[in-house]
Amino acid sequence: MKHKASPNGVSSRAKVLTIDTMNPTVKKVEYAVRGPIVQRAMELEKELSEGMKKPFAEVIKANIGDAHAMGQQPITFFRQVLALCSYPELLNDSTFPEDAKSRARRILQSCGGNSMGSYSASQGIDSVRHDVARYIKRRDDGVPCDPDNIYLTTGASDGIVTMLKLLVCGEGATRTGIMISIPQYPLYSAALAELGAVQINYYLNEQKCWSLDISELQRSLDEARQHCNPRALCIINPGNPTGQVQSRQCIEDVIRFAAKERLFLMADEVYQDNVYAEGCQFHSFKKVLFEMGPEYSNTVELVSFHSTSKCYMGECGFRGGYMEIINLDSEVKAQLTKLVSVRLCPPVPGQALMDLVVNPPQPGEPSHEKFIKERTTTLCALAEKAKLTEQVLNTVQGISCNPVQGAMYSFPCITIPEKAIKEDNGQKPDMFYCMKLLEETGICLVPGSGFGQRDGTYHFRMTILPPKDKLKILLTKVKEFHQKFTQQYS
Amino acid sequence: MKHKASPNGVSSRAKVLTIDTMNPTVKKVEYAVRGPIVQRAMELEKELSEGMKKPFAEVIKANIGDAHAMGQQPITFFRQVLALCSYPELLNDSTFPEDAKSRARRILQSCGGNSMGSYSASQGIDSVRHDVARYIKRRDDGVPCDPDNIYLTTGASDGIVTMLKLLVCGEGATRTGIMISIPQYPLYSAALAELGAVQINYYLNEQKCWSLDISELQRSLDEARQHCNPRALCIINPGNPTGQVQSRQCIEDVIRFAAKERLFLMADEVYQDNVYAEGCQFHSFKKVLFEMGPEYSNTVELVSFHSTSKCYMGECGFRGGYMEIINLDSEVKAQLTKLVSVRLCPPVPGQALMDLVVNPPQPGEPSHEKFIKERTTTLCALAEKAKLTEQVLNTVQGISCNPVQGAMYSFPCITIPEKAIKEDNGQKPDMFYCMKLLEETGICLVPGSGFGQRDGTYHFRMTILPPKDKLKILLTKVKEFHQKFTQQYS
């Protein structure tokens, strides 16, 4: 037993768990979306609320895709059904529309004891998985979908980490490598660090609107094969943080590449309804895979992720999501089912919400019109803000912004003067930039280094979620700050 | 690229991910509470619903602590507040009590954009953590509690796995070992298998009502030190699956042991309101620790877990929970906060529910009387069923059942005849027993081997949750089955 004397005379034992004796893989985890800059933003908010004087009146958080926090309104129908499911006495309330009631009844009937308080099956509620399968079939113009291949998840993150967990094995030069895009959503790098897998970077082509080039995939894969065992290829489409929407051709090329190189495909498709740019359209990997014929559709292993958190729903707090697995080996599938059973089940309210997303009010039902109106309003506002963001940022000398074709983010390239880069302040230049922006304007963005970027380039990610008037202020402030910053360090 | 010819002439590639190439630690995971016997129970239910003839009319699931599924009623006040939070338009509905409305308003005010659809802080909603801290202070007769030490979690399981994750490091003889009781709740063994930590078994004393003997802790620890680095000691109190309630003295002894041997303490206290036996009382590890004076309270590292899933709430589906950390190193705490941020936040409806559990209606508020009545009804019914279970099982020759002092389970010792043990059917004897019980009676229990038991002894875990009339039928059927089984194999 180790003791050390403490000032008050009470002997204090050395701690069992210290930074030096904790899990080293956890230490390697980084997650910029909620990193130091966000912590500082929260401090500033607290200081403001305590009356401290700042050069700004409020902190505007454009760091995270948190739609409702930015004023996006929930879909009325969804919330009515959730209220009915939470407190079924409301089924006798005549002010609730009949279609909301019938949805609630159906969900409750699938819950043990007719209560959302019961555990569901670990794979998710049976009827919800059937609804998800029907939704996917509709979305993919009739490509069949087996409910048995649907797993409900605690947000998409949960599914992504679970699938990565299955894939990781080997040591040293045979250690599993996972290909991820750079820039990437840092859940991927965080999960790979924690699992001790090798992160294989492939770079998106910023010059071609963040497109995915097969030659770059090949380069990245060939290099990785020198030192690890690449097993899976992760794609985010529409892109996070880069906002691009992949063409059908590109998806086909990626699938061909995965088949040729024997890579497991992981398609993060949580922004599937967030497509704004003219000429762009969402194509699911599943659909393209099946259109390529049985040589591909019978063999390529694919998992696709979706969530209640994005699109027109923005219901992040409910942690709803699903994944669909295609061509997963049956023994591995049994292991997956066993693995998810340890955590019992995804949150049932999130499952209920997922059910509503895949089975919204239909034409002729009392809530249909309102639902369509609300959905359209939200998606149109996002489209407008996507355009506005791109336009304003591109008026700033030293900022260059690709079109925000989809998702909820812009990821502009920023020119940081040499003098600022060389400033030795213990921070990466884009962190220095964003931290200064925060302190001077109250605007919270995430530095590009948190997502990965080509060496020598700098970016930030900002969401397009703030209400239009606030977004305009934000963009103006960013513009002014950038000009001032450039002057200051030139 | 490997191809093999398939019957239809389409070449099929070998799968990337197979049972032989998947993560080997995942393969080692076992979780009996939802294992093969439960899968068979679900098949039987399906067969029954399809009209297939069986020797029973319904499957009775006593395998899992799923209270609402077994007919336990949710607390009205909790569900009213959840409905109000889900659909705030109901705040204008005069039929909802004012205290429910004020709770809902307070929760919504703590949510971004006043919506449960927003992400919360990763550690959990600030005001909820404050309410949890106040609850703990009340529960522990004034022992101080810092809201900054509270982390809201996705059920207790999430917190347990997260803390274990921090603790695991080293290789070979320095690999982290974690002490768990045998019998144990298999989340622990599953998490340790997945993390590749060493499971160190200490045996509870079945002869002394599943009490915890310090000498056995010492034996287990000393043996483990030969081959790994024991770092933490997990305790479940009240016990799962064993239903004992620890005495204050025993808790003090355990804390002293942990301090002496430098072990991190993990106290699973999710059944803290489930105490039935006369003379038994729940003592939190935190309170006892602080009563032992600064030599202990300033040094011993402790984490305690609680959940919305058990006690009188039984709200498993919402996946609500919290953990309180005591004396955690500040750098490790920062790492913990970072780690939980990767998964963004626990489900917000579960956080709201946790808030209601720790801050229920107070005397003088309109919902107080009803709340007390509902809570008392549920807890009294559980106490009655705990007694009934023990009494009936102890009338069966060859079954010996300790008092169910707390929690929701009995874990009786069953005598399995030699002939049945020797029957070579590829199953452990208690699995053979439980499977036969299921096929013949429709009753689904979990074999003791899923929780661990002393070699040569056999048990099953059954919940006391079925409604009293159904529980009586269940107990009678178990009795008859055991007699028949004993006869058959004697």
Side-chain angles (χ1 to χ4, degrees):
Chain A
M1 198 185 353
K2 290 175 204 160
H3 282 82
K4 53 180 178 181
S6 82
N8 58 6
V10 176
S11 73
S12 82
R13 292 173 193 84
K15 300 233 183 252
V16 175
L17 187 59
T18 67
I19 194 81
D20 297 323
T21 64
M22 66 173 280
N23 189 333
T25 63
V26 171
K27 273 192 273 188
K28 287 186 198 140
V29 169
E30 281 180 35
Y31 187 67
V33 175
R34 294 210 152 181
I37 203 145
V38 184
Q39 280 170 27
R40 180 63 190 140
M42 281 159 67
E43 281 170 25
L44 286 172
E45 272 185 327
K46 204 169 161 234
E47 291 172 10
L48 274 177
S49 76
E50 287 163 356
M52 214 180 278
K53 199 111 186 99
K54 299 280 166 197
F56 46 87
E58 65 166 333
V59 173
I60 305 180
K61 284 193 223 151
N63 61 295
I64 188 166
D66 191 3
H68 291 193
M70 289 287 103
Q72 185 177 310
Q73 291 305 302
I75 298 286
T76 303
F77 179 78
F78 292 179
R79 295 309 196 90
Q80 286 173 331
V81 178
L82 286 170
L84 290 161
C85 289
S86 299
Y87 187 52
E89 278 74 358
L90 290 170
L91 288 164
N92 304 317
D93 184 332
S94 59
T95 61
F96 280 81
E98 276 310 315
D99 50 353
K101 289 186 186 175
S102 68
R103 283 297 194 300
R105 276 193 208 96
R106 185 158 172 275
I107 291 168
L108 288 173
Q109 275 159 15
S110 330
C111 294
N114 296 320
S115 169
M116 285 209 296
S118 298
Y119 292 121
S120 76
S122 302
Q123 197 171 343
I125 297 171
D126 213 56
S127 68
V128 178
R129 292 193 291 107
H130 278 81
D131 285 346
V132 169
R134 274 189 286 269
Y135 160 81
I136 293 174
K137 189 176 168 189
R138 255 188 345 262
R139 181 197 69 186
D140 292 344
D141 299 337
V143 173
C145 180
D146 182 351
D148 202 37
N149 288 339
I150 307 297
Y151 285 70
L152 297 179
T153 55
T154 307
S157 306
D158 171 46
I160 292 167
V161 173
T162 300
M163 289 309 297
L164 288 174
K165 203 178 271 175
L166 291 179
L167 278 158
V168 173
C169 66
E171 290 302 327
T174 66
R175 187 70 181 161
T176 292
I178 308 283
M179 300 180 73
I180 63 172
S181 62
I182 298 294
Q184 54 117 11
Y185 173 57
L187 167 71
Y188 290 91
S189 51
L192 296 179
E194 202 188 310
L195 293 166
V198 180
Q199 174 180 326
I200 306 172
N201 297 337
Y202 65 90
Y203 290 85
L204 300 176
N205 190 336
E206 185 165 14
Q207 275 63 51
K208 289 205 237 156
C209 196
W210 297 115
S211 69
L212 196 166
D213 298 341
I214 300 298
S215 58
E216 168 59 12
L217 283 183
Q218 192 71 61
R219 176 209 62 78
S220 156
L221 180 68
D222 292 346
E223 283 184 27
R225 287 220 164 107
Q226 311 290 317
H227 60 89
C228 72
N229 177 20
R231 302 188 73 197
L233 168 56
C234 302
I235 314 271
I236 312 175
N237 178 51
N240 176 6
T242 37
Q244 83 285 15
V245 176
Q246 275 186 296
S247 70
R248 200 199 164 287
Q249 184 58 51
C250 175
I251 293 171
E252 191 171 325
D253 293 344
V254 169
I255 293 173
R256 220 178 291 280
F257 177 81
K260 174 171 81 80
E261 300 292 351
R262 298 195 63 242
L263 294 168
F264 194 107
L265 270 175
M266 293 180 57
D268 181 339
E269 304 182 317
V270 299
Y271 299 97
Q272 53 191 265
D273 295 327
N274 294 112
V275 177
Y276 318 116
E278 263 177 60
C280 284
Q281 199 191 326
F282 172 73
H283 303 274
S284 78
F285 268 77
K286 161 96 178 283
K287 178 169 181 244
V288 175
L289 176 67
F290 276 72
E291 286 170 354
M292 289 167 72
E295 188 190 343
Y296 294 93
S297 66
N298 287 344
T299 59
V300 174
E301 293 149 85
L302 168 68
V303 56
S304 159
F305 306 95
H306 196 18
S307 148
T308 59
S309 304
K310 309 299 168 188
C311 304
Y312 64 91
M313 303 81 83
E315 297 276 14
C316 317
F318 283 79
R319 315 306 299 123
Y322 75 74
M323 59 183 181
E324 182 188 14
I325 50 168
I326 315 282
N327 292 321
L328 191 69
D329 175 86
S330 62
E331 284 175 299
V332 176
K333 186 169 181 303
Q335 292 285 327
L336 168 62
T337 304
K338 178 193 73 178
L339 183 62
V340 298
S341 79
V342 178
R343 293 296 190 92
L344 299 159
C345 69
V348 173
Q351 296 189 48
L353 194 51
M354 194 77 245
D355 189 54
L356 301 170
V357 170
V358 296
N359 186 20
Q362 296 304 306
E365 289 188 321
S367 303
H368 182 253
E369 199 179 326
K370 188 170 189 179
F371 166 73
I372 295 293
K373 201 177 147 204
E374 290 177 342
R375 186 178 67 176
T376 309
T377 303
T378 296
L379 289 176
C380 286
L382 286 171
E384 206 185 335
K385 293 189 279 187
K387 204 152 202 174
L388 179 72
T389 302
E390 176 204 345
Q391 281 172 344
V392 177
L393 289 177
N394 279 327
T395 64
V396 190
Q397 197 168 4
I399 297 187
S400 158
C401 180
N402 269 318
V404 183
Q405 297 174 331
M408 297 175 164
Y409 316 99
S410 74
F411 196 71
C413 186
I414 50 176
T415 306
I416 297 187
E418 277 303 310
K419 222 170 113 189
I421 294 172
K422 284 184 181 143
E423 186 121 321
D424 184 18
N425 47 45
Q427 287 176 325
K428 288 181 180 157
D430 51 1
M431 175 61 95
F432 175 62
Y433 178 99
C434 287
M435 205 53 111
K436 228 169 140 57
L437 174 74
L438 175 63
E439 296 287 350
E440 292 181 15
T441 67
I443 294 171
C444 178
L445 307 179
V446 190
S449 48
F451 305 88
Q453 52 200 354
R454 280 203 185 269
D455 281 348
T457 70
Y458 302 104
H459 301 77
F460 58 73
R461 183 183 88 161
M462 66 167 274
T463 72
I464 58 167
L465 292 173
K468 199 175 165 192
D469 52 339
K470 218 172 249 189
L471 183 64
K472 278 185 181 163
I473 299 172
L474 186 157
L475 290 166
T476 309
K477 283 189 174 187
V478 168
K479 183 174 182 165
E480 289 166 1
F481 169 82
H482 188 84
Q483 289 164 339
K484 202 179 128 205
F485 183 88
T486 306
Q487 237 168 0
Q488 193 181 347
Y489 289 96
S490 289
Chain B
M1 198 183 356
K2 290 176 204 162
H3 282 82
K4 52 180 179 182
S6 80
N8 59 7
V10 175
S11 75
S12 81
R13 291 173 193 83
K15 300 235 183 250
V16 176
L17 186 59
T18 67
I19 194 82
D20 297 323
T21 65
M22 68 174 279
N23 189 333
T25 64
V26 171
K27 272 191 273 188
K28 286 186 199 140
V29 169
E30 282 180 35
Y31 188 67
V33 175
R34 294 208 152 182
I37 202 144
V38 184
Q39 281 170 27
R40 180 64 190 140
M42 281 159 66
E43 280 170 27
L44 285 171
E45 272 185 327
K46 202 166 165 238
E47 290 171 13
L48 274 176
S49 76
E50 286 162 356
M52 213 179 282
K53 201 118 180 95
K54 300 280 166 196
F56 46 86
E58 65 167 333
V59 173
I60 305 181
K61 284 194 222 150
N63 61 296
I64 188 167
D66 192 2
H68 292 193
M70 288 289 103
Q72 185 177 311
Q73 291 305 301
I75 297 286
T76 304
F77 178 77
F78 292 178
R79 295 311 197 88
Q80 286 173 330
V81 178
L82 287 170
L84 289 162
C85 289
S86 300
Y87 187 52
E89 278 75 358
L90 290 171
L91 287 164
N92 303 318
D93 184 331
S94 59
T95 61
F96 280 81
E98 276 310 314
D99 51 352
K101 287 186 187 175
S102 69
R103 283 296 196 299
R105 275 194 208 98
R106 186 158 170 275
I107 291 168
L108 288 173
Q109 274 160 16
S110 331
C111 294
N114 296 319
S115 169
M116 285 209 297
S118 298
Y119 291 121
S120 75
S122 302
Q123 196 171 343
I125 297 172
D126 213 56
S127 67
V128 178
R129 292 192 292 107
H130 278 80
D131 285 347
V132 169
R134 272 189 286 269
Y135 160 82
I136 293 174
K137 190 177 168 188
R138 257 189 340 265
R139 182 198 67 188
D140 291 345
D141 299 335
V143 173
C145 180
D146 182 350
D148 202 38
N149 288 339
I150 306 298
Y151 284 72
L152 297 177
T153 56
T154 306
S157 307
D158 170 45
I160 293 167
V161 173
T162 300
M163 289 309 297
L164 289 173
K165 202 178 271 174
L166 291 179
L167 279 157
V168 173
C169 65
E171 289 303 328
T174 66
R175 187 70 180 161
T176 292
I178 308 282
M179 300 180 73
I180 63 172
S181 62
I182 296 296
Q184 54 118 12
Y185 174 57
L187 167 71
Y188 290 91
S189 51
L192 296 179
E194 202 187 311
L195 292 166
V198 180
Q199 175 181 324
I200 306 172
N201 297 336
Y202 66 89
Y203 290 85
L204 299 176
N205 189 336
E206 184 165 14
Q207 275 64 49
K208 288 205 235 155
C209 196
W210 298 114
S211 68
L212 196 165
D213 299 340
I214 299 298
S215 59
E216 166 61 11
L217 283 183
Q218 192 72 59
R219 176 208 62 78
S220 156
L221 181 68
D222 292 346
E223 281 184 29
R225 287 221 165 105
Q226 311 290 317
H227 60 90
C228 73
N229 177 21
R231 302 189 73 198
L233 168 56
C234 302
I235 314 271
I236 311 175
N237 177 51
N240 176 6
T242 37
Q244 82 285 14
V245 176
Q246 274 185 296
S247 69
R248 198 197 165 288
Q249 183 59 50
C250 176
I251 293 172
E252 192 172 323
D253 293 345
V254 169
I255 293 173
R256 221 178 290 279
F257 177 82
K260 174 170 80 82
E261 300 292 352
R262 297 192 68 240
L263 294 168
F264 193 108
L265 270 175
M266 292 179 59
D268 182 338
E269 305 183 317
V270 300
Y271 298 98
Q272 54 191 264
D273 294 327
N274 294 113
V275 176
Y276 317 117
E278 263 177 61
C280 283
Q281 196 190 328
F282 171 73
H283 302 275
S284 78
F285 267 76
K286 162 93 178 283
K287 180 170 178 242
V288 176
L289 176 66
F290 276 72
E291 288 170 352
M292 289 168 71
E295 188 190 343
Y296 293 93
S297 65
N298 287 343
T299 59
V300 173
E301 293 149 84
L302 167 69
V303 56
S304 159
F305 305 95
H306 195 19
S307 148
T308 60
S309 303
K310 310 298 166 186
C311 304
Y312 64 91
M313 303 82 81
E315 297 276 14
C316 316
F318 283 79
R319 314 306 299 121
Y322 76 73
M323 59 184 180
E324 181 188 14
I325 50 168
I326 315 283
N327 292 321
L328 191 69
D329 175 86
S330 61
E331 284 175 300
V332 176
K333 185 168 182 301
Q335 293 286 326
L336 168 62
T337 303
K338 179 194 73 179
L339 182 63
V340 298
S341 79
V342 177
R343 291 298 189 90
L344 298 161
C345 69
V348 174
Q351 296 189 48
L353 194 50
M354 194 76 246
D355 189 54
L356 301 170
V357 170
V358 296
N359 186 20
Q362 297 304 307
E365 290 189 321
S367 303
H368 182 254
E369 198 180 328
K370 188 169 190 180
F371 166 72
I372 296 294
K373 200 177 149 203
E374 290 178 343
R375 187 179 65 177
T376 309
T377 305
T378 297
L379 289 176
C380 287
L382 286 171
E384 205 185 338
K385 292 189 280 188
K387 203 150 204 175
L388 178 73
T389 303
E390 177 203 344
Q391 281 171 346
V392 176
L393 288 177
N394 279 328
T395 64
V396 190
Q397 197 168 4
I399 296 188
S400 157
C401 181
N402 269 319
V404 183
Q405 298 174 329
M408 298 175 164
Y409 315 99
S410 73
F411 195 70
C413 186
I414 50 176
T415 306
I416 298 187
E418 277 303 311
K419 223 170 114 188
I421 294 171
K422 284 185 182 140
E423 185 120 321
D424 186 19
N425 48 45
Q427 286 175 325
K428 289 180 179 155
D430 52 0
M431 174 63 94
F432 175 62
Y433 177 98
C434 287
M435 205 56 111
K436 228 170 140 57
L437 174 74
L438 174 64
E439 296 288 349
E440 292 182 16
T441 67
I443 293 170
C444 178
L445 308 179
V446 189
S449 48
F451 305 87
Q453 53 200 354
R454 280 201 184 271
D455 280 350
T457 70
Y458 302 104
H459 302 77
F460 57 72
R461 185 184 87 162
M462 67 168 274
T463 74
I464 58 166
L465 292 173
K468 199 174 164 190
D469 53 338
K470 217 172 250 188
L471 183 63
K472 279 186 181 162
I473 299 172
L474 187 158
L475 290 166
T476 309
K477 284 190 173 186
V478 169
K479 183 174 183 164
E480 289 166 2
F481 169 81
H482 189 84
Q483 289 164 341
K484 202 178 130 207
F485 183 87
T486 305
Q487 234 167 7
Q488 192 181 345
Y489 290 97
S490 288

